[in-house]
Amino acid sequence: MQEIIKKKSLKIEPNLKNYDEMYKKFKWGEVKDEIEWFDTKLNAAYNAVDRHVKKHGNKIALYWEGENKTEKYTFSKLSELSNKFANVLTRLGIKKGDRVFIFLPRIPALYISFLGILKTGAIAGTMFAAFGPQGIKDRLQDSGAKVLITDSELKKRVYEIRNELPKLKHLIIVGETEKEEISYEEEMKKASPEFEIEKTSPKDYAFMLYTSGTTGKPKGVVHVHQSIIQEHITAKWVLDLHEDDIYWCTADPGWVTGVAYGILGPWSNTITSVVFEGRFDAEKWYSILEKYKISVWYTAPTAIRMLMAAGDELPKKYDLSNLRHICSVGEPLNPEAIRWGMKVFNLPIHDNWWQTETGGILIANYPSIPIKLGSMGKPLPGIKAVIVNNQGNELPEGKEGNLAIKSPWPSMMCEIWKNPKKYNSYFKKNWYITGDLAFKDKDDYFWFVGRADDIIKTAGERIGPFEVESALVDHPAIVEAGVIGKPDPMRGEIVKAFVVLKKDYKPSKELEEEIKEFVKKRLAGHAYPREISFVESLPKTRSGKVVRRLLKKLILGEELGDISTLANPECIEKIKQVLQKQ
Ligand code: ATP
Ligand code: MG
């Protein structure tokens, strides 16, 4: 049975009032009027910041919450500082098309340098501050970056691989410098606040990001300046940003969400954003929602599950009355998480779907349409999403297959860096094939089934891990679950679950049986996990996604391959021990 949340009392008139009507009539050309083409050329940084200076120069663009201090920046200030940084790069000989990478924690210099790079016409690359030397080397080597901006702490990791990076000419350091390093602070002091922004054509390259590496080695996905058109309209329609909102995107700009919805989309809408430098901490997060009176919050299932694990009493200690809209992306959002949102915030969490490659949100739950729990929502106006079989032929509603998008759309990736073969492999007929499996229902809602590689084939049936994981986390003892197919001589594969228990629960044979019975009652008989392993934590990418391929390799006893994108490599040994005991 489908569980539906109809939203009666929205705290504000949504920007996209009538989804169905807009879906029918919308043409991308209409959005161009919301963006300035800047003398017929389009620069995403200009559109995000500089064009607002005249009317909204004194409006706060960024509230920054550091470990021990806070800062704030108006749109004018960001415009001026990013101009300065563009001058710093120009003095170093950076030109249009060069790659300039950023390896910084979430400090203001990250945001300023990102905008500055775009202003020169160079391609900005971002790297999450938790990367180790291998992750940094892979990305800098592959992209052939000429300049890296980092800080006096993180640079130590860069020096471990410095001599394997012959193309890297300059290191700009925030903080103390040595020898031939360039000081960010000194250069910024000297640089002029005036800069003639490069008039890039809409299809010129703007930024590149490596994917999360959930299914293999990360790919260098490149995006063009016009992607801001899509980021602008989705920030308005999906995140529902209004002029007076205070908005918090919890994603790091090392991932596409942190660029598209932590920088370009919201600022293009002249929105005040909050950036928190620190790591996840339930109390701190609630205190930020309270302190800054956050009204719109964009986060991820992994964070929501961690907040759930911290208990329902904690949020009651904070005044969260300004919060009016919550969105989530990155992994499937289990229905239990939405029910929890209703309970503690009195707000549903709006799931939406997209990928590094798509550059912007493509399928979403909009404020103005009912939420069907467990569904990713409906395609964005201007986007045609379908389900196709492996030959690229469209499948009817209710049939599971490859989620595919009619190509192109404004924020579609333009290249997998130096890998045209990989790029071409995404397309079949006129469809961009996402690599995810899904189905759509009679109302055009899309339902995520799993990544194509993660599908479990048991006794002739196909089972998506998401539905089993969602049933598992409905159980009161379970925080998180990762489900895979384990080879079995009789059934081909059996469903095998790795589960993390809440603090107050202990693994036992009885609990295992109880969980199996619990899932059996909720899903088709064959879909319950025949084997359960209780683990302390699941392997996750640094962007917080469960890496099922590693769980599979662990049970097969195979080589793990590249684990540079793993956030918690220490969990591997622990899972091995659990498996050995079983
Ligand atoms: P890699 O491509 O390197 O394996 P990745 O696919 O995790 O890594 P991203 O581009 O960060 O890299 O993630 C996009 C993927 O995340 C989607 O293809 C999908 O599998 C998953 N995803 C994102 N949002 C959702 C959602 N709302 N529901 C279900 N899955 C989602
Ligand atoms: Mg992917």
Side-chain angles (χ1 to χ4, degrees):
M1 203 192 58
Q2 275 182 359
E3 197 178 334
I4 299 180
I5 298 179
K6 293 199 172 129
K7 287 161 272 174
K8 282 187 227 106
S9 56
L10 287 173
K11 285 194 196 166
I12 205 158
E13 182 82 346
N15 279 317
L16 182 64
K17 291 185 200 70
N18 189 334
Y19 167 83
D20 291 322
E21 188 187 312
M22 191 57 103
Y23 191 79
K24 268 185 229 136
K25 70 167 207 212
F26 177 76
K27 299 263 177 313
W28 280 109
E30 291 166 30
V31 189
K32 281 190 191 165
D33 299 338
E34 300 220 11
I35 300 281
E36 262 183 57
W37 287 79
F38 193 39
D39 291 343
T40 75
K41 299 269 186 156
L42 172 84
N43 185 299
Y46 170 80
N47 268 284
V49 171
D50 298 73
R51 72 180 167 122
H52 305 312
V53 168
K54 223 175 177 174
K55 267 206 198 141
H56 304 283
N58 292 328
K59 184 172 177 178
I60 302 292
L62 169 64
Y63 282 115
W64 177 70
E65 172 92 12
E67 291 293 354
N68 312 308
K69 59 176 178 177
T70 60
E71 286 173 12
K72 55 187 177 189
Y73 295 81
T74 60
F75 279 96
S76 300
K77 196 74 196 162
L78 273 190
S79 155
E80 184 189 313
L81 291 169
S82 52
N83 275 349
K84 280 177 168 251
F85 194 73
N87 279 317
V88 172
L89 291 177
T90 306
R91 197 184 68 77
L92 294 176
I94 286 300
K95 295 182 307 299
K96 189 169 168 181
D98 287 340
R99 275 79 58 213
V100 178
F101 267 60
I102 307 170
F103 181 44
L104 284 175
R106 286 183 295 280
I107 57 173
L110 191 171
Y111 298 82
I112 292 161
S113 53
F114 182 87
L115 295 165
I117 298 167
L118 262 54
K119 286 181 172 186
T120 65
I123 305 169
T126 52
M127 294 189 293
F128 187 41
F131 281 141
Q134 182 69 38
I136 306 165
K137 188 181 93 179
D138 286 349
R139 287 161 177 78
L140 294 178
Q141 259 179 359
D142 186 62
S143 63
K146 269 194 190 166
V147 174
L148 177 70
I149 303 124
T150 184
D151 71 9
S152 40
E153 245 335 281
L154 295 177
K155 74 178 185 189
K156 294 173 196 155
R157 285 182 234 160
V158 181
Y159 278 116
E160 285 183 42
I161 40 120
R162 178 74 184 91
N163 51 15
E164 293 172 74
L165 300 168
K167 293 200 175 132
L168 185 64
K169 296 237 165 58
H170 305 287
L171 280 180
I172 301 180
I173 305 290
V174 180
E176 273 173 45
T177 53
E178 309 161 288
K179 293 178 239 150
E180 61 294 354
E181 292 169 357
I182 297 162
S183 159
Y184 174 83
E185 285 85 357
E186 290 302 315
E187 291 299 310
M188 288 291 275
K189 240 186 261 164
K190 284 189 287 190
S192 157
E194 307 287 329
F195 183 77
E196 191 169 338
I197 300 173
E198 178 76 28
K199 290 179 181 162
T200 44
S201 89
K203 296 273 171 65
D204 279 341
Y205 292 6
F207 59 93
M208 65 189 287
L209 286 143
Y210 286 79
T211 53
S212 292
T214 314
T215 52
K217 215 172 173 59
K219 308 166 273 277
V221 175
V222 190
H223 286 290
V224 292
H225 276 265
Q226 71 166 18
S227 70
I228 197 168
I229 291 172
Q230 185 142 3
E231 289 146 5
H232 176 95
I233 204 69
T234 43
K236 195 164 159 176
W237 285 349
V238 181
L239 307 178
D240 196 41
L241 293 171
H242 286 65
E243 204 179 319
D244 297 332
D245 277 317
I246 308 284
Y247 164 71
W248 184 25
C249 169
T250 61
D252 187 276
W255 315 114
V256 71
T257 310
V259 170
Y261 300 104
I263 303 179
L264 298 174
W267 281 340
S268 179
N269 282 276
T270 340
I271 298 301
T272 301
S273 268
V274 172
V275 167
F276 169 49
E277 183 190 355
R279 293 161 63 101
F280 177 85
D281 174 89
E283 288 180 38
K284 181 71 189 178
W285 274 38
Y286 286 127
S287 78
I288 288 175
L289 290 171
E290 177 182 78
K291 176 177 174 187
Y292 291 97
K293 299 185 169 35
I294 306 287
S295 55
V296 178
W297 183 28
Y298 194 17
T299 188
T302 179
I304 294 166
R305 287 192 295 259
M306 286 195 275
L307 290 174
M308 287 167 77
D312 297 355
E313 289 307 307
L314 191 59
K316 291 186 188 150
K317 295 190 195 155
Y318 300 86
D319 174 7
L320 307 177
S321 57
N322 290 285
L323 201 57
R324 66 167 189 86
H325 188 48
I326 311 175
C327 295
S328 162
V329 72
E331 280 189 297
L333 186 65
N334 313 110
E336 182 57 15
I338 304 180
R339 283 184 219 115
W340 176 80
M342 290 299 286
K343 190 162 70 184
V344 300
F345 305 119
N346 197 24
L347 293 169
I349 302 173
H350 292 72
D351 186 21
N352 53 71
W353 176 95
W354 58 296
Q355 306 177 300
T356 310
E357 295 90 334
T358 70
I361 298 168
L362 295 191
I363 296 179
N365 286 285
Y366 308 88
S368 55
I369 66 169
I371 290 182
K372 296 192 188 184
L373 274 73
S375 161
M376 319 191 274
K378 301 173 70 146
L380 187 78
I383 293 296
K384 186 168 164 62
V386 294
I387 305 295
V388 299
N389 63 14
N390 290 341
Q391 287 70 49
N393 300 321
E394 227 178 303
L395 293 173
E397 65 187 44
K399 280 264 178 280
E400 190 184 299
N402 303 293
L403 175 61
I405 312 290
K406 177 92 183 284
S407 125
W409 58 93
S411 65
M412 188 175 92
M413 62 168 172
C414 55
E415 182 176 330
I416 297 287
W417 189 252
K418 287 211 246 124
N419 196 343
K421 206 166 143 214
K422 178 77 204 168
Y423 181 83
N424 292 330
S425 74
Y426 281 91
F427 300 90
K428 200 167 267 166
K429 298 192 172 161
N430 247 333
W431 303 111
Y432 163 81
I433 309 289
T434 64
D436 286 341
L437 299 184
F439 64 91
K440 71 172 184 183
D441 69 15
K442 63 177 183 5
D443 303 317
D444 230 8
Y445 278 73
F446 282 74
W447 298 75
F448 181 80
V449 172
R451 293 167 184 270
D453 304 344
D454 290 341
I455 285 304
I456 303 159
K457 296 176 199 96
T458 182
E461 301 281 343
R462 292 156 61 84
I463 297 170
F466 174 48
E467 62 168 345
V468 187
E469 289 165 8
S470 285
L472 283 164
V473 298
D474 270 356
H475 188 282
I478 299 176
V479 183
E480 222 167 19
V483 167
I484 54 162
K486 177 180 174 182
D488 178 81
M490 288 286 289
R491 297 185 169 80
E493 279 182 325
I494 57 160
V495 178
K496 156 111 199 175
F498 291 82
V499 303
V500 179
L501 294 177
K502 284 191 190 150
K503 274 192 265 106
D504 310 335
Y505 291 86
K506 292 231 149 35
S508 70
K509 241 343 237 175
E510 292 74 44
L511 182 59
E512 185 176 338
E513 287 313 311
E514 185 194 314
I515 293 170
K516 286 181 185 171
E517 282 308 311
F518 181 87
V519 178
K520 250 188 212 169
K521 283 197 194 117
R522 280 166 170 70
L523 300 178
H526 63 278
Y528 81 94
R530 281 173 196 268
E531 265 188 46
I532 297 180
S533 294
F534 295 103
V535 294
E536 262 175 52
S537 60
L538 298 168
K540 287 201 179 162
T541 62
R542 294 184 193 280
S543 54
K545 300 173 192 233
V546 176
V547 191
R548 294 179 193 78
R549 93 185 136 89
L550 286 184
L551 293 174
K552 187 137 190 175
K553 291 196 166 180
L554 283 169
I555 55 164
L556 295 175
E558 285 178 359
E559 276 292 314
L560 299 184
D562 179 26
I563 56 165
S564 67
T565 57
L566 219 56
N568 54 344
E570 70 286 351
C571 78
I572 298 286
E573 272 314 306
K574 290 189 183 157
I575 297 176
K576 274 189 190 162
Q577 285 165 13
V578 171
L579 289 172
Q580 267 162 15
K581 280 196 203 131
Q582 276 183 329

